Amino acid sequence: MKVYGTTALATDVLDDIRDALARAKAGNKPSFKDELQTALVKETVEHLRSGHMDSFAFEHLIKDLLIQMGAKTATVLPRLLDKGADILATFRVAETFQYTLAVQAKHWNDKAPVNNKVVEQLMEGIEAANANLGMVVTSGTIAESAVKAAEDYAEATGIQIELVDGDQFAKLLIEQGIGKW
């Protein structure tokens, strides 16, 4: 609502009233936190897809996120050594169990979703690195064929592959405070 003085015309608040009525009809309560997070995610995804960052910077952003999320180590592999995984990260659980995560990074827009071929590349990377888990992270979207390939691989090997699309990645960046000053 953009009313700062002591008087306003009813037409000045019509959009706000319509918005409130639509939310009430849908059963949604206005929540500043939810609205702010939605706006931040949208802005972050747009920025990720805008071309301000190349694929190398995208890989390093993922590496930084993994470290922020508790990875003991995270390494962006040189392109010559990339056998399907762009990043390898090590996590320790209870300082006893160690897990290696192989990550395939795809800095794509939303026009060409990540498909099963990307998941197949990651499978090779998981096997080459002897990783326990896999993850595809994209600034774009995930195709159903990628979901199916990840499910089939998990069923055959017991190794889970997480698929993280642009919206999920943006939310993780925001939640983890990547880019703190």
Side-chain angles (χ1 to χ4, degrees), residues 121-176:
Q121 290 173 351
L122 177 59
M123 291 174 195
E124 293 174 17
I126 289 170
E127 291 165 14
N130 200 25
N132 311 92
L133 301 165
M135 180 182 282
V136 174
V137 179
T138 181
S139 52
T141 58
I142 307 284
E144 191 57 40
S145 66
V147 174
K148 175 90 169 89
E151 289 171 351
D152 290 348
Y153 186 72
E155 189 175 310
T157 65
I159 297 174
Q160 296 293 317
I161 296 177
E162 291 296 320
L163 304 174
V164 179
D165 67 15
D167 287 349
Q168 293 167 312
F169 182 56
K171 190 173 181 181
L172 286 170
L173 289 170
I174 293 163
E175 288 173 353
Q176 294 299 319

Side-chain angles (χ1 to χ4, degrees), residues 50-126:
S50 69
H52 293 299
M53 165 187 319
D54 64 14
S55 60
F56 293 105
F58 187 69
E59 290 171 356
H60 283 274
L61 182 60
I62 295 167
K63 178 194 83 154
D64 293 345
L65 175 64
L66 292 171
I67 296 222
Q68 187 70 26
M69 292 176 72
K72 296 298 179 186
T73 64
T75 306
V76 175
L77 299 174
R79 298 285 161 109
L80 293 174
L81 301 178
D82 177 345
K83 295 180 179 161
D86 299 316
I87 304 156
L88 291 177
T90 305
F91 290 86
R92 291 187 61 78
V93 178
E95 294 302 321
T96 306
F97 303 103
Q98 181 168 301
Y99 293 92
T100 301
L101 172 68
V103 180
Q104 176 66 266
K106 291 298 177 192
H107 188 219
W108 290 359
N109 63 31
D110 60 341
K111 305 284 187 273
V114 166
N115 60 26
N116 61 305
K117 302 233 183 293
V118 173
V119 175
E120 291 164 7
Q121 290 173 351
L122 177 59
M123 291 174 195
E124 293 174 17
I126 289 170

